[in-house]
């Protein structure tokens, strides 16, 4: 079964985003008709499970010829290592030992990974990744959002946003954010950042897996009816520090709900410039796994 840590690239911009934000990216250039590609696939999946500080990707050369041409790929499989946005090395062929040695050579130590750097609070666990890439963007929802400043504008790209867009409340300071995922995940921490600290969330509540949820369901709810109640320090939202959650209660999450009850300035508008969620995807066995997968 393919590793849940492998990103299957569908367009060049997805790969570019990873290269711009991850310290080490490995690209597996493969083809569905390539026998050696299928033979090496289990080893590649095993490496993805083992080396969590490396970002593993797969590119189908027939679907994305432009990327294959960019890296001068002429044989399959070809593995390309990108380190600090620069091509570092290539390996051609399905040599399991050589591939393991290549990954081990460039894999950062757990403490050297630059994911979520600058959080100021130790950041996520070494094995954690941003879970926004597993976001089901069609089901993203936020109650009481300003129609001109929506949740989707800051998470719709499935990565920490870098545009001027922001989420803002409408009628009052409250927000009820629902972040759904396209597979089960474990959540360890969240990041909520605002450019205007006085408008940043202060009192929040965390809940999960509600098919439908409204303000009346959560506004007056207390633990353990909700997963967690948190008063977020102002510097955490101003600097985008990690807000650590109760990991033990967040092991099987399909959707994350964040209720914002107040902000630090006591003003009518709550503003959020970026949201990120950190944890791990949960590898599950699905019925489709009993059929031969195209890239196994």
């Amino acid at each position: 079964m393919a590793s849940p840590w492998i990103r299957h690239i569908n367009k060049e911009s997805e790969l570019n985003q990873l290269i711009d934000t991850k310290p080490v990216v490995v690209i597996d250039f493969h083809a569905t008709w390539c026998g050696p590609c299928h033979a090496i696939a289990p080893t590649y999946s095993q490496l993805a499970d083992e080396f969590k500080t490396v970002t593993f990707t797969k590119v189908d050369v027939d679907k994305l010829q432009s990327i294959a041409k960019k890296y001068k790929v002429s044989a399959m499989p070809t593995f390309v290592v990108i380190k600090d946005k620069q091509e570092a090395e290539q390996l051609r062929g399905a040599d399991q030992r050589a591939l393991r040695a290549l990954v081990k050579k460039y894999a950062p130590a757990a403490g050297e990974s630059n994911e979520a750097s600058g959080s100021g609070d130790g950041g996520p666990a070494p094995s954690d990744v941003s879970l926004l890439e597993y976001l089901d963007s069609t089901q993203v929802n936020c109650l009481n959002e300003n129609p001109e400043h929506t949740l989707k504008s800051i998470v719709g790209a499935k990565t920490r946003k870098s545009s001027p867009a922001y989420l803002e409340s409408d009628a009052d300071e409250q927000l009820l954010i629902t972040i759904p995922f396209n597979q089960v995940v474990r959540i360890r921490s969240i990041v909520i950042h605002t450019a205007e600290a006085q408008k940043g969330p202060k009192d929040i509540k965390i809940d999960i897996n509600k098919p439908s949820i409204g303000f009346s369901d959560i506004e007056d709810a207390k633990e353990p009816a909700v997963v967690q109640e948190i008063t977020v320090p102002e510097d955490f939202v101003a600097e985008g520090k990690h807000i650590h959650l109760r990991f033990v209660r967040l092991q099987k999450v399909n959707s994350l709900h964040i209720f914002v009850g107040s902000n630090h300035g006591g003003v009518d508008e709550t503003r959020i410039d970026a949201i990120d969620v950190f944890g791990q995807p949960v590898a599950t066995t699905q019925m489709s796994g009993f059929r031969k997968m195209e890239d196994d």
Side-chain angles (χ1 to χ4, degrees):
M1 185 177 178
S3 169
W5 300 99
I6 296 175
R7 280 80 158 177
H8 293 261
I9 303 301
N10 296 306
K11 53 186 178 180
E12 189 168 355
S13 61
E14 293 178 3
L15 180 61
N16 292 339
Q17 177 67 32
L18 292 173
I19 290 172
D20 286 342
T21 58
K22 307 295 183 180
V24 177
V25 177
V26 178
I27 311 169
D28 173 9
F29 287 96
H30 70 105
T32 58
W33 44 263
C34 169
C37 297
H38 292 289
I40 197 71
T43 299
Y44 192 65
S45 289
Q46 183 180 359
L47 292 170
D49 289 336
E50 183 176 344
F51 291 91
K52 297 299 197 309
T53 59
V54 175
T55 300
F56 291 82
T57 67
K58 291 178 78 76
V59 170
D60 187 323
V61 297
D62 291 322
K63 295 180 179 179
L64 295 169
Q65 296 180 16
S66 62
I67 302 179
K69 183 177 180 181
K70 178 179 180 180
Y71 291 99
K72 299 180 173 61
V73 174
S74 58
M76 274 69 70
T78 292
F79 301 92
V80 177
V81 178
I82 310 295
K83 181 177 174 62
D84 297 329
K85 304 182 185 181
Q86 301 294 323
E87 182 177 340
E89 193 170 339
Q90 284 198 14
L91 171 67
R92 293 183 181 181
D95 187 325
Q96 296 181 18
R97 291 185 178 180
L99 179 58
R100 172 170 286 276
L102 180 73
V103 173
K104 189 174 182 179
K105 177 180 177 180
Y106 290 99
E112 296 174 358
S113 174
N114 69 354
E115 290 190 21
S117 62
S119 65
D121 60 340
S127 61
D128 288 349
V129 297
S130 170
L131 296 173
L132 290 184
E133 65 184 279
Y134 302 101
L135 179 74
D136 183 353
S137 57
T138 63
Q139 300 299 316
V140 167
N141 183 51
C142 182
L143 299 184
N144 194 40
E145 65 180 7
N146 185 325
E148 296 182 359
H149 301 288
T150 66
L151 174 62
K152 188 167 286 190
S153 72
I154 64 171
V155 300
K158 297 189 176 184
T159 186
R160 183 93 65 94
K161 74 101 190 177
S162 57
S163 69
Y166 58 91
L167 167 65
E168 187 177 63
S169 64
D170 191 13
D172 56 26
E173 74 279 12
Q174 294 187 344
L175 291 167
L176 181 49
I177 297 166
T178 294
I179 300 175
F181 301 97
N182 56 27
Q183 72 169 77
V184 179
V185 299
R186 300 184 183 98
I187 299 175
R188 192 185 307 274
S189 65
I190 59 174
V191 169
I192 301 176
H193 175 252
T194 179
E196 299 182 29
Q198 290 298 296
K199 293 184 178 181
K202 180 180 180 182
D203 295 306
I204 68 173
K205 297 178 184 179
I206 304 296
D207 211 350
I208 59 171
N209 301 344
K210 297 294 190 294
S212 63
I213 186 170
F215 285 110
S216 60
D217 299 309
I218 197 168
E219 184 174 5
D220 296 323
K222 304 292 183 182
E223 298 180 20
V226 293
V227 170
Q228 194 169 353
E229 298 177 81
I230 306 168
T231 297
V232 183
E234 186 172 332
D235 64 317
F236 273 58
V237 293
E239 301 173 22
K241 294 182 179 182
H242 280 257
I243 303 165
H244 290 278
L245 306 181
R246 289 183 179 151
F247 190 50
V248 69
R249 296 194 64 184
L250 297 165
Q251 295 294 298
K252 295 181 179 180
V253 181
N254 294 303
S255 58
L256 174 69
H257 312 291
I258 305 172
F259 168 70
V260 179
S262 66
N263 55 51
H264 283 278
V267 295
D268 289 337
E269 298 85 20
T270 294
R271 171 171 170 155
I272 298 175
D273 287 71
I275 293 178
D276 210 340
V277 183
F278 287 86
Q280 305 156 10
V282 177
T284 57
T285 301
Q286 301 178 2
M287 290 304 296
S288 59
F290 292 96
R291 299 191 298 271
K292 182 175 179 61
M293 300 299 289
E294 186 174 81
D295 53 291
D296 281 346

